[in-house]
Amino acid sequence: MFSTLKKRLPQNDPVLSMPSEKKRWTDLAVFGGQPAFPEKLHVGRPNIGNRSRVLERIDGVLSRRWLSNNGPLVQELEQRIAEFIGVKYCVATCNGTIGLEIAIRALGLSGEVIVPSFTFVATAHALEWLNITPVFCDVDRRTHNIDPRQVEHLITPRTTGIVGVHLWGRPCEVEELAGIAERHNLALLFDAAHAFGCSHHGRMVGNFGDLEVFSFHATKFFNSFEGGAIVTENGALAARARAMRDFGFDPQDDVSGIGTNGKMTEVCAAMGLTGLESLDEFIAANYSNYKQYHAELADLPGIRFPSYEGGEKSNYQYIVLEIDEAVTQIPRDQMLEVLHAENVLARRYFHPGCHRMEPYRPRFPDAGLRLPVTEMLAERVLVLPTGTAVAADEVSVVCEIIRLLVAHGAEIRGRLADRAARAPPALR
Ligand code: T4K
């Protein structure tokens, strides 16, 4: 899945070709040069489908005066998503986090639940919010996903479930996790926030475990401004989730149990329905950027590049590099500093790992021993901008900055260190 990139750069001093100028490492913006980009290049710039279609749909929402509470657009979106994934039930929610909380409660989880630490903190918070202890499991070195070989060691009499996260849209080892869940009579759910439109062994993500939860946040491959969905084949679970989303009201208008307000609005559904019509365009843009990043960074020593599984559907939403400082001579965080100065707002998702965040940190004084892969990845991963808002020539410039960084890693690191040492004490 990953390829280690070993080929050496040419020994001559490379120059960075910007659209309008050539730049040496000494001209980097971090040392006072002009930034490569006049405006910030973000990770997670939203994909927006046909604007006039969104506005038309929103106009209809206003005319109908039906703004929320299971309106016609939400119902249509649920139906379209269920068809797209190939599942029986889809319950749209106001965001992925509330979707996770509802799903966890609908499954009746309690006590301890096993979850990776290398994920967005919402995965862990959804459990903690419900007074369930997230028990952090290490991830697989190659896939960045929860390592099924470690899961069984973490099961105790208090364990009620496993949450897998399809990180970067690459599916977990679902069969292995399902086997463990079955052997130990545990619930299995997937945080599929990154994996809308992805497949595993030819089946769409959304079909695995007891249920799966998507996020349709603005930064996701497919967005509904804010939003999410629980998908499942289990009718009883779907009915419970549907009631919980609406304060516990059942179809007879009786409150059948505890609930919250997790409803998706009609305006969000309007955006979602319109985005669904442009999925191919979003994938094409991401795929093209992914291929280009791969081709342009493919010779760099000390950089590992995740490849998406051939033959499977993917949304190619995350461009993830692993920086091996021992080879690049410049740590990931200094690379980030240089990129940010150039207005490339790369991200270090998911640093430092949930186990090093509050309220979890005090429970993991020995994290280095228990979560070595998570600890290593949290120090190495760098996520680059992509999506429909990022053009091919911009990808080229980002790649050139990274090539320059790797070619002159030690020099840039040294100069940054000198500068820090000379800074007045308050700035250090
Ligand atoms: N599980 C996993 C595995 C997740 O990754 C997430 C969310 C969830 C669960 C929870 O799902 P939701 O409850 O969010 O539906 C962002 C997102 O806020 C978050 O949704 C996402 N994961 C996470 C990976 O990324 P931040 O802290 O990076 O957000 P922020 O505000 O820094 O935005 C990221 C970049 O996107 C910025 O550079 C600017 C750009 N951006 C953002 C927004 C909102 C735009 O250009 N336009 C926009 O409208 O968390």
Side-chain angles (χ1 to χ4, degrees):
M1 193 171 274
F2 280 95
S3 54
T4 306
L5 309 165
K6 290 201 182 87
K7 244 196 275 168
R8 283 270 146 205
L9 285 167
Q11 290 307 297
N12 59 332
D13 192 24
V15 284
L16 177 63
S17 11
M18 298 301 177
S20 56
E21 60 185 292
K22 301 250 176 207
K23 195 157 166 167
R24 291 172 180 273
W25 73 265
T26 46
D27 299 329
L28 285 165
V30 78
F31 301 129
Q34 274 288 106
F37 293 93
E39 289 183 8
K40 296 188 189 316
L41 198 67
H42 292 274
V43 171
R45 214 68 173 140
N47 290 327
I48 294 167
N50 184 325
R51 272 167 198 246
S52 49
R53 200 68 191 104
V54 183
L55 296 173
E56 210 177 284
R57 283 192 164 107
I58 292 175
D59 200 41
V61 171
L62 299 178
S63 301
R64 281 191 296 279
R65 291 181 187 263
W66 196 280
L67 310 185
S68 187
N69 290 25
N70 204 26
L73 296 190
V74 167
Q75 290 181 38
E76 187 184 343
L77 183 67
E78 289 178 339
Q79 192 190 329
R80 295 259 177 100
I81 289 172
E83 279 163 18
F84 176 70
I85 306 287
V87 285
K88 276 204 189 112
Y89 305 100
C90 170
V91 181
T93 55
C94 56
N95 60 52
T97 307
I98 297 288
L100 280 169
E101 288 169 17
I102 291 173
I104 290 162
R105 217 181 244 279
L107 281 165
L109 301 189
S110 62
E112 295 175 358
V113 168
I114 299 166
V115 61
S117 172
F118 196 56
T119 176
F120 190 58
V121 72
T123 322
H125 279 351
L127 292 162
E128 186 78 10
W129 193 259
L130 297 168
N131 289 322
I132 296 167
T133 305
V135 173
F136 293 122
C137 183
D138 212 357
V139 291
D140 182 277
R141 172 75 189 84
R142 193 176 58 92
T143 65
H144 297 189
N145 283 331
I146 191 167
D147 185 350
R149 289 151 294 278
Q150 314 260 349
V151 169
E152 236 155 346
H153 303 304
L154 300 173
I155 295 172
T156 74
R158 297 190 67 224
T159 310
T160 56
I162 304 168
V163 180
V165 182
H166 305 303
L167 210 72
W168 320 128
R170 289 179 297 148
C172 292
E173 295 176 60
V174 293
E175 291 79 9
E176 288 73 6
L177 293 171
I180 296 167
E182 200 177 332
R183 280 199 297 284
H184 295 272
N185 197 23
L186 302 175
L188 174 64
L189 69 145
F190 291 101
D191 176 341
H194 298 184
F196 191 73
C198 303
S199 72
H200 173 69
H201 295 168
R203 283 173 79 201
M204 296 304 281
V205 166
N207 278 282
F208 303 106
D210 294 298
L211 54 78
E212 304 209 47
V213 182
F214 293 111
S215 162
F216 306 143
H217 181 255
T219 54
K220 296 294 183 291
F221 151 72
F222 161 72
N223 82 84
S224 58
F225 300 132
E226 288 271 2
I230 301 164
V231 291
T232 181
E233 284 292 299
N234 183 325
L237 261 182
R240 268 205 297 282
R242 197 169 282 285
M244 284 178 176
R245 175 184 75 169
D246 188 18
F247 312 104
F249 282 103
D250 64 20
Q252 289 73 44
D253 215 20
D254 293 325
V255 172
S256 52
I258 191 162
T260 184
N261 184 353
K263 297 186 275 13
M264 180 184 268
T265 67
E266 285 290 276
V267 166
C268 288
M271 181 68 171
L273 281 166
T274 311
L276 270 188
E277 291 162 1
S278 297
L279 288 188
D280 290 347
E281 179 205 321
F282 300 162
I283 290 175
N286 276 356
Y287 183 65
S288 165
N289 286 345
Y290 160 71
K291 293 299 277 185
Q292 190 184 344
Y293 271 121
H294 199 279
E296 295 201 21
L297 298 178
D299 290 343
L300 287 189
I303 292 194
R304 300 180 93 204
F305 200 112
S307 55
Y308 288 97
E309 206 74 73
E312 295 290 349
K313 290 196 168 113
S314 178
N315 57 37
Y316 303 98
Q317 174 72 356
Y318 291 95
I319 303 294
V320 184
L321 303 184
E322 278 181 45
I323 313 297
D324 181 357
E325 179 188 342
V327 180
T328 59
Q329 305 287 309
I330 178 164
R332 183 270 318 266
D333 285 356
Q334 285 187 343
M335 283 193 161
L336 194 79
E337 188 183 346
V338 170
L339 285 162
H340 279 208
E342 300 293 340
N343 276 335
V344 179
L345 299 193
R347 300 296 297 259
R348 44 182 200 168
Y349 289 142
F350 287 103
H351 177 87
C354 298
H355 66 284
R356 286 191 176 269
M357 298 175 183
E358 295 296 342
Y360 314 109
R361 186 175 14 208
R363 302 177 202 161
F364 284 85
D366 54 351
L369 294 174
R370 288 162 68 184
L371 302 166
V373 181
T374 302
E375 293 260 295
M376 182 196 63
L377 291 177
E379 292 307 314
R380 288 189 180 197
V381 162
L382 191 66
V383 177
L384 300 177
T386 187
T388 50
V390 179
D393 57 344
E394 294 174 317
V395 171
S396 289
V397 174
V398 175
C399 291
E400 291 194 45
I401 298 167
I402 292 171
R403 284 208 295 274
L404 198 63
L405 272 166
V406 173
H408 294 281
E411 293 140 294
I412 295 168
R413 190 194 60 208
R415 185 144 166 203
L416 286 171
D418 285 352
R419 202 184 59 170
R422 281 201 307 273
L427 297 178
R428 276 184 219 156

